[in-house]
Amino acid sequence: MGGNSFGKAFKITTFGESHGAGIGVTIDGCPSGLEIDTAYIQKQLNKRKPGQSKVTTQRKEGDEFEILSGVFEGKTTGTPIAIFIKNKDQKSKDYDHIAKAYRPSHADMTYTTKYGHRDHRGGGRSSARETAARVAAGAIAQLILLQHGITIDAGVTQVGVIKTDKDLIKLDWTQVENNIVRCPDPEKAKMMEELILATKKSGDTIGGKVSCIINNCPVGLGEPVFDKLHADLGKAMLSINAVKGFEYGSGFDCLDMLGSEHNDLWELDDNGAAHTSTNYSGGIQGGISNGMPIYFNVAFKPVATIMKDQSSVDKDSNPTTVTGKGRHDPCVVPRAVPIVVAMAALVILDHLMLNRMVNL
Amino acid sequence: MGGNSFGKAFKITTFGESHGAGIGVTIDGCPSGLEIDTAYIQKQLNKRKPGQSKVTTQRKEGDEFEILSGVFEGKTTGTPIAIFIKNKDQKSKDYDHIAKAYRPSHADMTYTTKYGHRDHRGGGRSSARETAARVAAGAIAQLILLQHGITIDAGVTQVGVIKTDKDLIKLDWTQVENNIVRCPDPEKAKMMEELILATKKSGDTIGGKVSCIINNCPVGLGEPVFDKLHADLGKAMLSINAVKGFEYGSGFDCLDMLGSEHNDLWELDDNGAAHTSTNYSGGIQGGISNGMPIYFNVAFKPVATIMKDQSSVDKDSNPTTVTGKGRHDPCVVPRAVPIVVAMAALVILDHLMLNRMVNL
Amino acid sequence: MGGNSFGKAFKITTFGESHGAGIGVTIDGCPSGLEIDTAYIQKQLNKRKPGQSKVTTQRKEGDEFEILSGVFEGKTTGTPIAIFIKNKDQKSKDYDHIAKAYRPSHADMTYTTKYGHRDHRGGGRSSARETAARVAAGAIAQLILLQHGITIDAGVTQVGVIKTDKDLIKLDWTQVENNIVRCPDPEKAKMMEELILATKKSGDTIGGKVSCIINNCPVGLGEPVFDKLHADLGKAMLSINAVKGFEYGSGFDCLDMLGSEHNDLWELDDNGAAHTSTNYSGGIQGGISNGMPIYFNVAFKPVATIMKDQSSVDKDSNPTTVTGKGRHDPCVVPRAVPIVVAMAALVILDHLMLNRMVNL
Amino acid sequence: MGGNSFGKAFKITTFGESHGAGIGVTIDGCPSGLEIDTAYIQKQLNKRKPGQSKVTTQRKEGDEFEILSGVFEGKTTGTPIAIFIKNKDQKSKDYDHIAKAYRPSHADMTYTTKYGHRDHRGGGRSSARETAARVAAGAIAQLILLQHGITIDAGVTQVGVIKTDKDLIKLDWTQVENNIVRCPDPEKAKMMEELILATKKSGDTIGGKVSCIINNCPVGLGEPVFDKLHADLGKAMLSINAVKGFEYGSGFDCLDMLGSEHNDLWELDDNGAAHTSTNYSGGIQGGISNGMPIYFNVAFKPVATIMKDQSSVDKDSNPTTVTGKGRHDPCVVPRAVPIVVAMAALVILDHLMLNRMVNL
C-alpha cells in the first residue's frame, strides 16, 4: 500500500534515494508508438538539476538517464518503461551529523518514527532528488500531450514578497528560460534574483510561488465526483516537496468577490463556439475542463536547511544543535518549475486517457 | 474508471443525483465490530441539510438515511456498508429553464459536453447534494477515530472579507455550533451573519473559508512520496463542490517568512517526548503526521446561482439569459463545515489503517 | 481494502446479505448514452433466481431490481449506477441452529474467525444470493457488448460424471434454455436432470461443470503481464461461490498432448485475414485475445448443505451435529450459468474499455 | 492502465524484455526492517534460470540481481525496492526470422496487433524471462512469510501422462530439489526425466503440472467476495506464461463426489482447536483460509517453440514456414516451480497484510 504510484491510466511508480544507487521510475500504461525524444527528456531534467546557476545549490549532478525497458527502435512498445538515473557527486559524509538528530522542519523525525529504519544520507527517500524521476516521466507525458496540441507553461511568480502583478494569461511565458529565477516577468526576475542572493548570503532561505498554465486542453477532462481535474492537479502539486498550498482559477482571491462578479459568463465566438468572457473558473467547472486555459498557483515554503545553528533533539531524546552543512538551495522555486510542469503533464495525460472511456 | 471512489483502505463509492431516487454510498473496508451510533450519523447529516437556518437555502430535505447492509445487531460486520438517503421535496420544475441553457460558472456545459446525456434537474450528479453521502460515510469514520482519541474540529473563519484574526489553535471550537454561521469566533460570527443576509437580500452570493484542525493524530500517518497526508487531505477538500484553494500549516503565508523564522524547532517536554515549539508545518513533515495538531484552510467560491439575470448560451449555441430560480444558499460555508470534517475523517482513518502495514 | 469491487474501467462494487434489507451493486465507469433495457436485465436475473424449476431450491425470491441512480430518461448518464434488489421470502428462523455451529464446508468458521461479528442468517454475506447483484451488473455489460457484436453463451456440460462429449464450439447453444438443467446437449440434459433429482431425493447434493464461449471478441483484449485476459476470466470465475477450478482452451487436457499436436497453426482465410486451424489456445495467446472464440470450463463443487446429519463443532469449541434445514439447491450449476455469463461479460467489457488506451 | 502490477498491499510492478537492457521489478509496500538475505534471493533465481540441467534450455543466463533502492545497511526501509537483472548471453539474431512471422501458439500475432510496435527479440515482453523479476520479488515475500512461520512447497507432479498418484499432503517435499525434474516423488521423477529427454530428442515439447502446498497459513486470509484467497491465487498462477488451468482443493475431481462425501467435517484436536477431518476444501472456505494446508494444481501447456517446421503466416498476410531456432525448454515445469512458489508467496503476503485492517 506504499504511496509511490501516481496516475490511473498513465501510472508511474518512482523509487530511489538521494545517496543510494540512483533514482528511477516505471511507467505502466504509456501508449505504444510514441517516438522517444531523448534530448527533450534530458532538457527537462537539466532544468531541475542542481548546480545550474548561482541561485541554486552548487551540488553537481549530471542527472543522465537510462531507459531500461519499453522502448524499441526509438519507439514505445506499450510495455512498461523503466528509467534510471544514477546518483553521482554524493557526499554522504555531509550528513553524518544528522544520522540521529532531527533537523527542524525536515522529515527526519517522521520517517524515523514511521519506518523505524531509514537511510538518512541526503534525506534518503524524503529528498527532493526523487522528483528527478517525476520530471523524466513527465517529459514523456509532455511528448504525448504535444501531439494533441496541449502545452504547459510554468514560472516563478513570487519570491518572498516580490511578485509579478501581471495577469497570468497575459504574461510572456517565453521569458521564463531567459533568467535564472525562471520568472516570466523580466523586471521582477531581477529583483527576485537579488533577494535570493541576499538571503543566501545571510545563511537563510526563502519561499516562493510557481504559477502554471495549461493551454489548449480539450473540454471534458476530469472524473467527478472525487477525481475532479483540479483535485488531481492539487494532489499532484501538494505531493511535491516543500509545497504548502494550491489554488486554481481565482483561488483564495474568490473570497473578495461576489457571485455576480465571480461568475464567468458564457458567450459565443464567431464560429458559434462557447467560451467564457472571464476565467475565474480557471478552465475547470464541476471538476471538468471547459476548454479555457487552466491555471493554478503553488506555494513553496522556505527551504528547511539553513546555514545557522538551530536547537533540536535527536531520536534518543537528547537535546542537540543542528547546523546546516552541505550544498543546499537558498530558494527552491527556480528548480521547482520543471517539477510543476511534469506533474501537471502527468495529470492532464492521465485524464486525457481516462476520458476515452466515457462513451460507448 | 469513473472517479466516484475515495480512499484505499476505507474506500467509499458515492452514487445518486439531486432529483433522482436518492443519493447513497457504499463503504468497502470498514472494520468489523464497530457499534453504529445512528443518532451521531444523523446529527452530522443535520449540520449539512438545507433549510436549517436563515443563512442557508430554504429547501427542506429530511436527509434521513437507511443502512442497507453491513450492519448486524447494531455492529459492523466487516462487509460493505451501503447507506441510502431518499430524495424528498424536489421541485424539478424549478430547473426546466436550464435543460438546455448553460448556467454561468456551473457544471452544465462541461457535463453536457463530456457525457452527452445528463440529468439536469437540480444539477443532477454535479449537485452538492451528493456530499450528504460523504457526510454519512464520514460520520462512520469519525466514530472509529473517536475510539482512537482523534477528534476533528472545523468552522467558518472567513466570509467575504470578514475574518477571524485569532490563532486557529487557540480558537474556542466549541463555539462553532452556537451560531448559525458556524464560526468559532462569536464576535465575527455576528458580522458574518449580517454580511450573508445583506448579500442574500441583494440577490447575490458570497464565498468563505473553512478552517479545520485535527487533534491527537498519532505520528506516522501519510504514505510518501505521492500519498502524503496533506496531499490526500488537499485532494479530499478540492473534491468538494465550490472549493478553489487549499493550504495547510503556514500555507500561502509561508511566502512572507525566512527559513529561520519558518522552521519549527524540536524541543522535549517533561516526559522526554519531542514536539515542536511552533507549528508552521501544520502537524505534517515530509508528508507524515508528526504528532502536532494538523490544520488547514479551504476556500469556497461564491455560490454560482444568483438571483439576477445573466447572459449566457445554450447547448445549441444560442444566446440566452439565465435567471436564478429555486431555493439556493447565499453562502455555502456554514453547510460546508460538516463536509470538510467528513472528508478529513475519511483521509485520517484511511491513513490510520494504511499505516498498520508498514512494519513486519 | 475490502474485496468487494471488481473491474478497473467498468468497476462494480456489490453489497448486501442474504437476510438483510437486500443486495445491490454500484457500477462506476459505465459509459454514457446506453439505453437501459430493463426487461433484458430482469430476464438474466430470472435465470439465476431460486424456485424456477424442480432441480433448484424451492425458495421464492422475486429478485426484482430497482435502479437508484445513473439513468435518466432511459439512458445511462456516465455517473454511477446503483441497483438494489430487496430481499423477500426470507425465513431467518431456518438458520437459528447455525448461529453458533460451523456447517461443514461452509464459510461459517472462517467468517466468524476473520470478522469476529457476522450475520449468520442465510449465510449472510457469504451466501450466493450476493451473485444476483453481479448478474444485474453483468446484464448491463452484456447490453454494451451486444452493441459491439460480442455474444456470450454458457451452459452446463457436466453434472456428476454425466458429461457431454461434444466439441464446445459445435454445440447448439440455443438449446441451453430449452431444458431446466441448462445443458446445450439435449440428450445429456435429460440424464443430468434425472441424476439431480435422484441426488435430491437421497438428501444429497452433486457438483457440475459450466462451459462458456465468447464469440466475436476482437483481437487485442488483455493487459499482460498480470492482467492477461484469461487470468482475469479465471479470477472472475473463481470468485463465484462453490467454484473449485478453471481452465481455458485445452485446459488440463493439454497434458496429454505434444507441442506439435497442441500448437494452433496460423492460416489465411479468403480475405487474407489470419486465423488458427485449431483452437487449443482458447482464443487467447500471450494473455491477449486473438480473434478466435474464447472458451473455458468452470468446476462447481457439490452444494455443502445436505439434508443429512453431519458431526461438527461450534464457535465455543463444543462438538455438535448439523442438520440441513431450509430450502437448498441439490446442484448449483443450472442457476450458475447466468452468473458465469455475467462475470464473463464484466471481464470482456472491462478489457474492451482498457484496450482503448493502448494507442496514442 | 497497463497490467504490469500485482498485489494491493505488497504491490509489485515488473518491467523489461527478453533482449533489452534487462528485467526488473519495483516493490511498493514492503514492510520496513526486514533483513535482506541476498543469498536466499539468488537461490530462488537460480532455480528458475536457464541452463541448469539437461532437461532445460541450454541458454546461459547469470540472473544476477542488483538492488537499486529501498534497502539500507542490509535492511528494508519501507520505501520502494527496485531490483534489476541485466540481460546477458542474448543471441538476438536467433530471432530475426520471426521479426515478421507469427509463431504458432505464441504471442506474436496478438502483441503485434494490439501494440502495433513491438520488440520481437526473444519474445520481448511476452517472454517468460519476465518471470525472473517475479521470482526476485517473491523471494522477499517468502523471507517475510518465514518470519510468520508460513512455508510454501511446490513441485512437478505430472509430465505428459506420467503423474504421481500420491496424496499431495503426504509427499516428501524435501525430495523436490533432489532431482532435475523437481518432482517430490523420486520414482516418478526418473520416468519424467526420461520422457522429457525423449521428447526433446524428437524436436518436440511436452506439458506438465505443478502442485503447490502452503503450510501454516493462519485462519482469516482472503477478502470476499471478489478477492477470495483462491481467486487471487488462481489469477496469480494463470498470469504465468503457458498456464492453461488452475484448481484448488478437490478441484475438477469434485465432480466425481457427492456433497456427503465432499464435505469436510469439523472436529476438535486435543487442545480444543477446530480442524477438518478431510481437506477437500484445500484450506480455503468461503474464500478465506481456514488454517488447514492450502494446496492447488497448475497446468502448463507444451512449450510452443518446437524444432520442427510449422506452416504459418506473417504480419503482411503472407504464408510462411516457421522453424524453431535458438535454445528452448522441451518442458517448462521444472523451471516453473520457483515461479509458482513466488506468485503464491506474493498472494499470501498480500493477504496477510490486508487482513490487518479487518478489525478496529
Side-chain angles (χ1 to χ4, degrees):
Chain A
M1 279 319 318
N4 296 283
S5 293
F6 189 82
K8 283 178 160 184
F10 189 89
K11 187 172 55 176
I12 71 166
T13 305
T14 72
F15 59 88
E17 291 86 30
S18 184
H19 287 221
I23 56 124
V25 61
T26 59
I27 307 171
D28 194 13
C30 183
S32 179
L34 175 72
E35 214 151 322
I36 288 292
D37 181 342
T38 53
Y40 184 86
I41 300 171
Q42 190 62 57
K43 193 173 134 195
Q44 306 309 312
L45 282 169
N46 289 350
K47 290 181 192 170
R48 197 213 70 95
K49 81 173 175 185
Q52 61 184 273
S53 81
K54 60 188 169 178
V55 296
T56 69
T57 168
Q58 296 309 303
R59 285 196 310 275
K60 296 285 180 196
E61 291 165 15
D63 280 2
E64 280 156 27
F65 71 98
E66 229 181 316
I67 295 181
L68 302 178
S69 66
V71 176
F72 181 60
E73 295 175 345
K75 284 186 180 172
T76 59
T77 59
T79 63
I81 299 173
I83 298 177
F84 191 57
I85 303 170
K86 283 205 183 97
N87 286 335
K88 290 177 184 171
D89 188 40
Q90 304 131 304
K91 303 196 176 175
S92 301
K93 291 217 181 272
D94 280 357
Y95 296 88
D96 284 355
H97 66 298
I98 57 143
K100 289 176 61 183
Y102 296 154
R103 290 170 296 169
S105 290
H106 266 279
D108 300 344
M109 183 273 197
T110 54
Y111 267 68
T112 299
T113 306
K114 183 181 181 77
Y115 299 111
H117 180 68
R118 79 181 183 102
D119 179 354
H120 65 275
R121 302 165 304 164
R125 181 68 180 155
S126 69
S127 165
R129 175 145 184 75
E130 175 268 334
T131 57
R134 304 184 186 202
V135 171
I140 292 179
Q142 282 171 268
L143 286 171
I144 298 175
L145 292 179
L146 284 171
Q147 299 208 350
H148 291 85
I150 302 169
T151 59
I152 303 174
D153 288 313
V156 172
T157 51
Q158 184 166 356
V159 170
V161 294
I162 310 294
K163 59 183 153 192
T164 178
D165 49 7
K166 295 186 182 141
D167 186 333
L168 282 193
I169 310 276
K170 289 176 188 153
L171 280 166
D172 177 6
W173 293 90
T174 62
Q175 291 298 321
V176 166
E177 291 301 322
N178 290 342
N179 61 78
I180 58 177
V181 178
R182 289 205 169 85
C183 173
D185 180 339
E187 195 185 344
K188 293 293 164 57
K190 197 68 205 152
M191 294 170 68
M192 290 173 181
E193 182 185 328
E194 281 160 21
L195 177 55
I196 294 173
L197 291 174
T199 307
K200 181 185 178 183
K201 204 168 170 185
S202 74
D204 220 322
T205 59
I206 197 160
K209 193 165 79 180
V210 175
S211 300
C212 181
I213 181 163
I214 301 163
N215 302 293
N216 209 20
C217 184
V219 183
L221 307 199
E223 302 291 325
V225 293
F226 294 109
D227 300 340
K228 287 172 172 154
L229 189 57
H230 59 269
D232 277 351
L233 283 169
K235 172 163 176 171
M237 298 308 144
L238 288 158
S239 78
I240 300 172
N241 306 49
V243 171
K244 302 294 291 185
F246 169 87
E247 59 179 2
Y248 79 103
S250 57
F252 280 87
D253 288 346
C254 75
L255 301 179
D256 295 342
M257 302 170 79
L258 293 172
S260 57
E261 297 162 339
H262 190 268
N263 281 350
D264 296 317
L265 302 186
W266 285 106
E267 55 188 29
L268 299 170
D269 66 17
D270 296 344
N271 304 316
H275 68 271
T276 61
S277 58
T278 50
N279 186 13
Y280 296 115
S281 298
I284 301 173
Q285 289 173 332
I288 299 170
S289 60
N290 70 355
M292 299 294 290
I294 295 167
Y295 63 95
F296 57 84
N297 296 316
V298 187
F300 289 81
K301 71 171 184 176
V303 173
T305 300
I306 59 175
M307 297 299 131
K308 298 183 173 191
D309 284 1
Q310 295 174 95
S311 66
S312 190
V313 304
D314 69 17
K315 66 176 174 177
D316 302 325
S317 288
N318 299 310
T320 185
T321 298
V322 172
T323 312
K325 286 188 190 172
R327 300 152 295 171
H328 299 275
D329 290 274
C331 180
V332 84
V333 283
R335 290 176 56 210
V337 169
I339 307 169
V340 166
V341 171
M343 292 309 297
L346 290 170
V347 171
I348 299 298
L349 176 57
D350 201 42
H351 278 279
L352 194 68
M353 291 170 73
L354 292 174
N355 194 41
R356 291 186 188 175
M357 294 196 293
V358 166
N359 296 301
L360 287 177
Chain B
M1 282 318 322
N4 297 283
S5 293
F6 188 82
K8 284 177 160 185
F10 190 90
K11 187 171 56 176
I12 71 167
T13 304
T14 72
F15 59 88
E17 291 86 31
S18 184
H19 287 222
I23 55 123
V25 61
T26 59
I27 306 171
D28 195 13
C30 184
S32 179
L34 175 74
E35 215 151 321
I36 288 292
D37 181 342
T38 53
Y40 184 86
I41 300 171
Q42 190 63 56
K43 195 174 133 194
Q44 306 310 313
L45 283 167
N46 289 350
K47 291 181 192 170
R48 197 214 69 94
K49 81 173 176 184
Q52 60 184 273
S53 81
K54 61 186 170 179
V55 295
T56 69
T57 168
Q58 296 308 304
R59 286 194 310 275
K60 297 283 181 198
E61 290 164 17
D63 280 0
E64 279 154 29
F65 71 98
E66 225 182 320
I67 296 180
L68 302 178
S69 66
V71 176
F72 181 60
E73 295 175 344
K75 284 186 180 172
T76 60
T77 60
T79 63
I81 299 173
I83 298 176
F84 191 57
I85 302 168
K86 284 205 182 100
N87 286 334
K88 290 177 182 169
D89 188 40
Q90 304 132 304
K91 303 196 176 173
S92 302
K93 291 218 181 273
D94 279 356
Y95 295 89
D96 283 356
H97 66 297
I98 56 144
K100 288 176 63 182
Y102 295 154
R103 289 170 297 170
S105 290
H106 266 280
D108 299 345
M109 182 272 197
T110 53
Y111 267 69
T112 300
T113 307
K114 182 180 182 77
Y115 299 111
H117 180 67
R118 79 183 182 100
D119 178 355
H120 67 274
R121 301 166 306 164
R125 181 69 180 153
S126 69
S127 165
R129 176 147 184 73
E130 174 268 335
T131 58
R134 304 183 187 203
V135 171
I140 291 178
Q142 282 170 267
L143 286 171
I144 298 175
L145 293 179
L146 284 171
Q147 299 210 349
H148 290 86
I150 303 169
T151 58
I152 303 174
D153 288 313
V156 173
T157 50
Q158 184 167 354
V159 170
V161 293
I162 310 294
K163 59 183 153 193
T164 178
D165 48 8
K166 294 188 183 140
D167 186 333
L168 283 192
I169 310 275
K170 290 176 186 154
L171 281 166
D172 177 5
W173 293 90
T174 63
Q175 292 297 322
V176 166
E177 291 300 322
N178 291 341
N179 61 77
I180 59 177
V181 179
R182 290 205 169 84
C183 173
D185 180 340
E187 195 185 345
K188 293 292 163 57
K190 198 67 208 154
M191 294 170 68
M192 291 173 180
E193 182 185 328
E194 281 161 19
L195 178 55
I196 296 173
L197 291 175
T199 306
K200 181 184 178 183
K201 205 168 170 184
S202 74
D204 220 321
T205 59
I206 197 161
K209 194 164 77 180
V210 175
S211 301
C212 181
I213 180 163
I214 302 163
N215 302 294
N216 209 18
C217 185
V219 183
L221 307 199
E223 302 291 325
V225 295
F226 294 110
D227 299 341
K228 286 171 173 152
L229 190 58
H230 60 268
D232 277 353
L233 284 168
K235 172 163 176 171
M237 299 306 144
L238 288 158
S239 77
I240 301 172
N241 306 47
V243 171
K244 303 294 290 187
F246 169 86
E247 59 179 4
Y248 79 103
S250 57
F252 280 88
D253 288 345
C254 75
L255 300 179
D256 296 342
M257 302 171 80
L258 293 173
S260 56
E261 297 163 338
H262 190 268
N263 282 352
D264 296 317
L265 301 186
W266 286 105
E267 55 189 28
L268 299 170
D269 65 18
D270 295 343
N271 304 315
H275 67 271
T276 60
S277 57
T278 51
N279 185 12
Y280 295 116
S281 298
I284 301 172
Q285 289 174 331
I288 299 170
S289 60
N290 70 355
M292 299 293 291
I294 295 167
Y295 63 94
F296 57 84
N297 296 316
V298 188
F300 290 81
K301 69 171 186 178
V303 173
T305 300
I306 60 175
M307 297 298 131
K308 299 184 173 190
D309 285 0
Q310 297 175 94
S311 66
S312 190
V313 305
D314 68 17
K315 67 176 175 177
D316 303 326
S317 289
N318 299 311
T320 185
T321 298
V322 173
T323 311
K325 286 188 190 172
R327 300 152 295 170
H328 299 274
D329 290 275
C331 179
V332 84
V333 282
R335 290 177 57 212
V337 169
I339 308 170
V340 166
V341 171
M343 292 308 298
L346 291 170
V347 171
I348 298 298
L349 176 57
D350 201 41
H351 278 279
L352 195 68
M353 292 170 73
L354 293 174
N355 193 41
R356 291 187 188 174
M357 294 196 293
V358 165
N359 295 301
L360 287 177
Chain C
M1 278 321 316
N4 297 283
S5 292
F6 189 82
K8 285 178 159 184
F10 189 90
K11 187 171 55 176
I12 71 167
T13 305
T14 73
F15 59 88
E17 291 85 31
S18 184
H19 288 220
I23 56 126
V25 61
T26 58
I27 307 171
D28 194 12
C30 184
S32 179
L34 175 73
E35 214 152 321
I36 288 292
D37 181 342
T38 52
Y40 184 85
I41 300 171
Q42 190 62 58
K43 194 174 133 195
Q44 306 308 312
L45 282 168
N46 289 350
K47 290 181 192 170
R48 196 213 71 93
K49 82 173 174 184
Q52 61 184 272
S53 81
K54 60 186 168 178
V55 295
T56 70
T57 168
Q58 296 308 303
R59 287 194 310 275
K60 297 285 180 196
E61 290 165 15
D63 280 359
E64 280 155 28
F65 71 95
E66 227 182 319
I67 295 180
L68 302 178
S69 66
V71 176
F72 181 60
E73 295 176 344
K75 283 186 180 173
T76 60
T77 59
T79 63
I81 299 172
I83 298 177
F84 191 57
I85 303 169
K86 283 205 184 98
N87 285 334
K88 290 178 183 169
D89 188 40
Q90 304 132 302
K91 302 196 175 174
S92 301
K93 289 217 183 276
D94 280 355
Y95 295 88
D96 283 355
H97 66 298
I98 57 145
K100 289 175 60 182
Y102 296 155
R103 289 170 298 169
S105 290
H106 266 280
D108 299 345
M109 183 272 197
T110 54
Y111 267 69
T112 300
T113 307
K114 183 181 181 78
Y115 299 111
H117 180 69
R118 80 183 183 100
D119 179 354
H120 66 274
R121 301 166 304 164
R125 181 69 179 154
S126 69
S127 165
R129 174 144 185 75
E130 175 268 336
T131 57
R134 305 184 185 202
V135 171
I140 291 178
Q142 283 170 266
L143 287 171
I144 298 175
L145 292 179
L146 285 171
Q147 299 208 350
H148 290 86
I150 302 170
T151 58
I152 303 175
D153 288 312
V156 172
T157 51
Q158 184 167 356
V159 170
V161 293
I162 310 293
K163 58 184 153 191
T164 177
D165 48 8
K166 293 186 183 145
D167 185 334
L168 282 192
I169 311 277
K170 290 175 186 152
L171 280 166
D172 177 5
W173 293 90
T174 62
Q175 292 298 322
V176 165
E177 292 300 322
N178 290 342
N179 61 77
I180 58 177
V181 179
R182 291 205 168 85
C183 173
D185 179 340
E187 194 185 344
K188 291 294 162 57
K190 197 67 206 154
M191 293 170 69
M192 290 172 180
E193 182 185 329
E194 282 161 19
L195 177 56
I196 295 173
L197 291 175
T199 305
K200 181 184 179 183
K201 204 169 170 184
S202 73
D204 220 322
T205 59
I206 196 161
K209 195 165 78 180
V210 174
S211 300
C212 181
I213 182 163
I214 302 163
N215 302 294
N216 209 19
C217 184
V219 183
L221 307 199
E223 301 292 325
V225 294
F226 294 110
D227 299 342
K228 287 172 172 153
L229 189 58
H230 61 268
D232 278 352
L233 283 169
K235 172 163 177 171
M237 299 306 144
L238 287 158
S239 78
I240 301 172
N241 305 47
V243 171
K244 303 293 290 186
F246 169 85
E247 59 179 4
Y248 79 104
S250 57
F252 280 87
D253 288 346
C254 75
L255 301 179
D256 296 341
M257 302 170 79
L258 294 172
S260 57
E261 296 162 340
H262 189 269
N263 281 352
D264 296 317
L265 302 185
W266 285 106
E267 54 188 31
L268 299 170
D269 65 17
D270 295 345
N271 304 316
H275 66 270
T276 60
S277 58
T278 50
N279 185 12
Y280 295 115
S281 298
I284 301 172
Q285 288 173 334
I288 299 169
S289 61
N290 70 356
M292 301 292 292
I294 294 167
Y295 63 94
F296 57 82
N297 296 315
V298 188
F300 289 81
K301 71 171 184 176
V303 173
T305 300
I306 59 174
M307 296 300 131
K308 298 183 173 190
D309 283 2
Q310 297 175 94
S311 66
S312 190
V313 305
D314 68 17
K315 67 176 173 175
D316 303 325
S317 290
N318 299 310
T320 185
T321 298
V322 172
T323 312
K325 286 187 190 171
R327 300 152 297 172
H328 298 275
D329 291 274
C331 179
V332 84
V333 283
R335 290 176 57 210
V337 168
I339 307 169
V340 166
V341 170
M343 292 307 297
L346 290 170
V347 171
I348 298 298
L349 176 57
D350 201 42
H351 278 279
L352 195 68
M353 291 170 74
L354 292 174
N355 193 42
R356 290 185 188 175
M357 294 197 293
V358 166
N359 296 301
L360 287 176
Chain D
M1 281 319 319
N4 297 282
S5 293
F6 189 82
K8 284 178 159 184
F10 189 90
K11 187 171 56 175
I12 70 167
T13 305
T14 72
F15 59 88
E17 291 87 29
S18 183
H19 288 220
I23 56 125
V25 61
T26 59
I27 305 171
D28 195 12
C30 183
S32 180
L34 175 73
E35 215 151 320
I36 287 292
D37 181 342
T38 53
Y40 184 86
I41 301 171
Q42 190 62 56
K43 194 174 134 195
Q44 306 310 312
L45 283 168
N46 289 350
K47 290 181 192 169
R48 198 214 69 95
K49 82 173 174 184
Q52 61 184 271
S53 80
K54 61 187 170 179
V55 296
T56 69
T57 168
Q58 296 308 302
R59 287 194 310 275
K60 296 285 179 195
E61 290 164 17
D63 280 0
E64 278 155 30
F65 71 97
E66 227 181 319
I67 295 180
L68 302 178
S69 67
V71 176
F72 181 60
E73 295 175 344
K75 284 186 180 173
T76 60
T77 59
T79 62
I81 299 172
I83 297 177
F84 191 57
I85 302 169
K86 283 206 183 98
N87 286 334
K88 290 178 183 170
D89 188 41
Q90 304 131 303
K91 302 196 176 174
S92 301
K93 291 219 180 272
D94 281 357
Y95 296 88
D96 283 357
H97 66 297
I98 57 145
K100 289 176 59 183
Y102 296 154
R103 289 171 297 169
S105 290
H106 267 280
D108 299 344
M109 183 272 196
T110 53
Y111 267 68
T112 300
T113 307
K114 182 180 183 77
Y115 298 111
H117 180 67
R118 79 182 182 102
D119 179 355
H120 66 275
R121 301 165 306 163
R125 181 70 179 153
S126 68
S127 165
R129 176 147 184 74
E130 175 267 335
T131 57
R134 305 184 186 202
V135 171
I140 291 178
Q142 282 170 266
L143 286 171
I144 298 175
L145 292 179
L146 284 171
Q147 299 209 350
H148 289 86
I150 302 170
T151 58
I152 303 175
D153 289 312
V156 172
T157 49
Q158 184 167 355
V159 170
V161 293
I162 310 293
K163 58 183 153 192
T164 179
D165 48 8
K166 294 186 183 143
D167 186 333
L168 282 192
I169 310 275
K170 290 176 187 153
L171 279 166
D172 177 5
W173 293 89
T174 63
Q175 292 297 321
V176 165
E177 290 302 322
N178 291 341
N179 63 78
I180 58 178
V181 178
R182 287 202 173 87
C183 172
D185 180 340
E187 196 185 344
K188 291 294 161 59
K190 198 66 208 154
M191 294 170 69
M192 290 173 180
E193 181 185 329
E194 281 160 19
L195 177 56
I196 296 174
L197 291 175
T199 306
K200 181 185 179 183
K201 204 168 169 185
S202 75
D204 220 322
T205 59
I206 196 160
K209 193 165 78 181
V210 175
S211 300
C212 181
I213 180 162
I214 301 163
N215 302 294
N216 210 19
C217 185
V219 183
L221 307 198
E223 302 293 325
V225 293
F226 294 111
D227 299 341
K228 286 172 172 154
L229 190 58
H230 60 268
D232 277 353
L233 284 169
K235 172 163 175 171
M237 299 306 144
L238 288 158
S239 78
I240 302 172
N241 305 48
V243 171
K244 302 294 291 187
F246 169 86
E247 58 179 4
Y248 80 104
S250 58
F252 281 88
D253 288 346
C254 76
L255 301 178
D256 296 342
M257 302 170 81
L258 293 173
S260 57
E261 297 162 338
H262 190 269
N263 281 352
D264 295 317
L265 301 186
W266 285 104
E267 54 188 29
L268 300 171
D269 65 17
D270 295 343
N271 304 316
H275 67 271
T276 59
S277 57
T278 51
N279 186 11
Y280 294 117
S281 298
I284 301 172
Q285 289 174 331
I288 298 170
S289 60
N290 70 355
M292 299 293 291
I294 295 167
Y295 62 94
F296 56 83
N297 296 314
V298 188
F300 288 81
K301 70 171 186 177
V303 173
T305 301
I306 59 175
M307 296 300 131
K308 299 183 172 190
D309 285 1
Q310 296 175 96
S311 66
S312 191
V313 306
D314 69 17
K315 67 176 174 177
D316 302 326
S317 289
N318 299 311
T320 185
T321 298
V322 173
T323 312
K325 285 187 192 173
R327 299 152 295 170
H328 299 274
D329 290 275
C331 179
V332 84
V333 282
R335 290 177 56 210
V337 168
I339 308 169
V340 165
V341 170
M343 292 307 298
L346 291 169
V347 171
I348 298 298
L349 177 57
D350 201 42
H351 278 279
L352 194 68
M353 291 170 73
L354 293 174
N355 193 42
R356 291 186 188 174
M357 294 195 295
V358 165
N359 296 301
L360 287 177

